[in-house]
Amino acid sequence: GVPLDPASGQVSVQTSGPTSVLLVADAQGEDEGSYRCVASNSEGEATSNAADLQLAFIDSSFQLHPSDTVATTTSGTSLDCLSPSSLPPATISWTRDFAQLTDPRFQVLSNGSLAVSAVRLEDQGTYHCTATNTLLGVSRTSEGAELTVLALPTVTPSITSVSVGQTVSFLCNTDGDTPTQITWFREANQITEDTPRVQLSPTTLTIVQVTLEDEGYYTCRATFPAGSTETRALLDILSPPVFLNSSISQTAVLSEPTTLPCSVALDPTLLFSWLFQGQPLTLPSGGMELLSDGSLLIANASYDSEGTYTCLASNSLGSAQGTVELDVIVISTITAESAVVTVIDGAVAELTCSAAGDPTPVITWFRNGTSVPNANTPRYQLASGRSTLVLEPVSDTDEGPFQCVATNLGGRAEDSIELRVYTLPVVEATPTIQQLAAGGTAVFACTASGSPTPQLRWLNAASINITSP
């Protein structure tokens, strides 16, 4: 807000028509700040927005120097660097052993850190971070940080299969620096010279007379002065096929898919095949397919699918077989003969449902959630192979819904019948004799009950209906 004095020598103004240019020569710290242009005439004045004058700089000290880092081959790592305060912001670059990095595996992140992907042994060295103020042409270089690369050990073989009683050896090698120690582990347990049937050398693990219990993963840990790395290998023990269940009975629903298991202890070396009724099956064909675990998938079970299936499992050490007896069933269905049954109180009521399925379903009757007949329903009897429920004599207390349920191995189905019990009309209050003078009004009352509710009409002495229509 202080007017400038062009006579100072550092500040000059060049005006041409409506345009004015302010020059600040040999700008120093005291010249930093905001500058505004004020235009005025006889009618008043107007002021421009502020324009800041900022002097470029870069501090001498890094806010964060990179630190020594240990990485493992094939993994990723990063080196952090926070440049000195700078205006404009400094541009960050990195060097290894003072040589520029050109490999695309090296990427400078927006925060100045260096990201390294798929680390290699040759990436080991001294790294420096350089911050450059491009306006001043001034650079600052960080302290050096050592990147130490540890080689992952290589276990040979990585996967091996041997038979029970044989001897197997694993060799652990490392590239680059020689490890100070090689240690072997089985799962999480360290293997030592005292471990039964084990022989150890500086780089080799040997197991003699292997058993099924030796199967699993073995880990080689290579220890270096800067840290350790590890790699594991798989030992697969071969044995003749062993069936967990050599005889199985199974049911399948008609027209539904089903899977027959080959109940054998799985081994990646096993080969599978199937027989039906003693004859080899060509798979896949006829809606049947051999699955990866040796099971047999039947896409659409039919009565022709019923019979004995034999699973054959074999490897170089032998073979074994197991059978599956397949029975095809039809899910139960049941249908009420009538949705509503109406009878007179005291008569006989017969509720009938027709059921179908294979095997033949068992029919059960229910009323209000309770199975009938039972000790509390002596008037209820079953007939026609349980398909008919007989109520004799029927009472108005029997009125309501009854459920018939059909059950077999395939499941259950149900339907319902509504029982309605009608009663004959009963006149409960009869008209009484009326005596009155001529011209008077006689009132005769009649009350009746029954189900359904009876309609009342009146007859005169000549039995003529005198009820109004």
Side-chain angles (χ1 to χ4, degrees):
V2 179
L4 298 173
D5 181 10
S8 66
Q10 285 184 289
V11 178
S12 63
V13 177
Q14 299 176 357
T15 301
S16 175
T19 302
S20 179
V21 177
L22 172 66
L23 301 178
V24 181
D26 192 21
Q28 301 297 320
E30 60 268 19
D31 296 318
E32 287 189 312
S34 298
Y35 292 80
R36 291 179 176 84
C37 169
V38 180
S40 62
N41 61 16
S42 60
E43 300 302 316
E45 66 179 28
T47 302
S48 71
N49 295 330
D52 291 338
L53 173 60
Q54 300 173 333
L55 295 183
F57 73 93
I58 182 170
D59 286 350
S60 59
S61 299
F62 277 75
Q63 298 180 67
L64 176 66
H65 289 275
S67 58
D68 293 346
T69 301
V70 177
T72 303
T73 53
T74 73
S75 66
T77 192
S78 63
L79 298 168
D80 295 329
C81 173
L82 192 56
S83 74
S85 296
S86 174
L87 184 72
T91 300
I92 303 299
S93 60
W94 286 80
T95 59
R96 181 184 67 239
D97 298 332
F98 298 104
Q100 292 296 323
L101 302 173
T102 59
D103 193 315
R105 294 182 300 108
F106 296 90
Q107 296 291 326
V108 179
L109 306 181
S110 59
N111 63 359
S113 297
L114 177 66
V116 187
S117 61
V119 173
R120 301 171 183 170
L121 285 173
E122 58 264 30
D123 297 334
Q124 190 164 269
T126 304
Y127 287 74
H128 290 87
C129 167
T130 299
T132 301
N133 185 312
T134 55
L135 184 60
L136 296 176
V138 176
S139 296
R140 303 277 189 258
T141 299
S142 71
E143 298 174 357
E146 292 296 325
L147 175 60
T148 302
V149 179
L150 304 181
L152 277 177
T154 301
V155 179
T156 307
S158 59
I159 301 177
T160 187
S161 298
V162 298
S163 301
V164 172
Q166 290 186 324
T167 297
V168 64
S169 294
F170 291 105
L171 175 64
C172 185
N173 285 321
T174 57
D175 296 328
D177 296 338
T178 301
T180 57
Q181 184 180 22
I182 294 290
T183 311
W184 290 90
F185 294 84
R186 165 76 192 285
E187 307 301 342
N189 302 313
Q190 182 175 347
I191 299 172
T192 67
E193 292 285 358
D194 296 329
T195 303
R197 298 179 292 101
V198 164
Q199 298 172 359
L200 293 174
S201 71
T203 58
T204 303
L205 166 67
T206 300
I207 307 171
V208 300
Q209 295 182 340
V210 297
T211 67
L212 289 174
E213 289 71 26
D214 294 324
E215 188 170 75
Y217 284 96
Y218 291 79
T219 300
C220 168
R221 178 180 295 171
T223 302
F224 302 87
S228 62
T229 59
E230 58 185 42
T231 301
R232 67 179 187 173
L234 174 63
L235 174 59
D236 176 42
I237 306 300
L238 298 177
S239 63
V242 176
F243 268 80
L244 306 177
N245 191 343
S246 60
S247 181
I248 299 173
S249 295
Q250 183 166 319
T251 58
V253 176
L254 184 68
S255 302
E256 295 290 332
T258 190
T259 300
L260 308 185
C262 189
S263 186
V264 66
L266 288 181
D267 186 300
T269 65
L270 288 178
L271 299 176
F272 296 97
S273 61
W274 283 83
L275 307 177
F276 176 57
Q277 305 291 62
Q279 299 300 314
L281 290 173
T282 302
L283 301 172
S285 67
M288 292 184 288
E289 179 183 350
L290 180 64
L291 303 182
S292 60
D293 63 354
S295 299
L296 179 65
L297 172 63
I298 301 175
N300 188 9
S302 67
Y303 284 120
D304 291 338
S305 305
E306 289 186 323
T308 303
Y309 292 80
T310 303
C311 175
L312 303 177
S314 62
N315 62 13
S316 60
L317 301 179
S319 64
Q321 66 182 41
T323 61
V324 180
E325 194 70 32
L326 181 64
D327 184 28
V328 177
I329 63 174
V330 178
I331 296 176
S332 300
T333 60
I334 193 166
T335 305
E337 191 174 89
S338 300
V340 178
V341 172
T342 303
V343 296
I344 298 296
D345 185 18
V348 177
E350 293 187 355
L351 311 181
T352 301
C353 288
S354 298
D358 184 11
T360 302
V362 175
I363 298 177
T364 310
W365 290 87
F366 293 87
R367 181 169 187 261
N368 297 327
T370 302
S371 175
V372 291
N374 55 46
N376 297 320
T377 57
R379 296 177 293 106
Y380 294 13
Q381 301 294 327
L382 294 174
S384 303
R386 304 179 66 90
S387 64
T388 299
L389 178 65
V390 180
L391 291 73
E392 183 180 8
V394 74
S395 166
D396 59 355
T397 59
D398 298 321
E399 193 168 62
F402 288 74
Q403 290 76 40
C404 51
V405 177
T407 307
N408 72 358
L409 292 175
R412 56 175 281 162
E414 67 176 71
D415 203 352
S416 64
I417 299 175
E418 181 77 20
L419 176 62
R420 295 177 184 173
V421 179
Y422 288 174
T423 58
L424 294 174
V426 176
V427 176
E428 298 177 343
T430 61
T432 60
I433 297 173
Q434 299 288 309
Q435 295 178 348
L436 72 163
T441 301
V443 178
F444 297 96
C446 177
T447 301
S449 63
S451 177
T453 302
Q455 302 293 319
L456 300 179
R457 69 182 189 278
W458 290 88
L459 305 176
N460 61 15
S463 297
I464 298 174
N465 184 5
I466 59 172
T467 306
S468 300

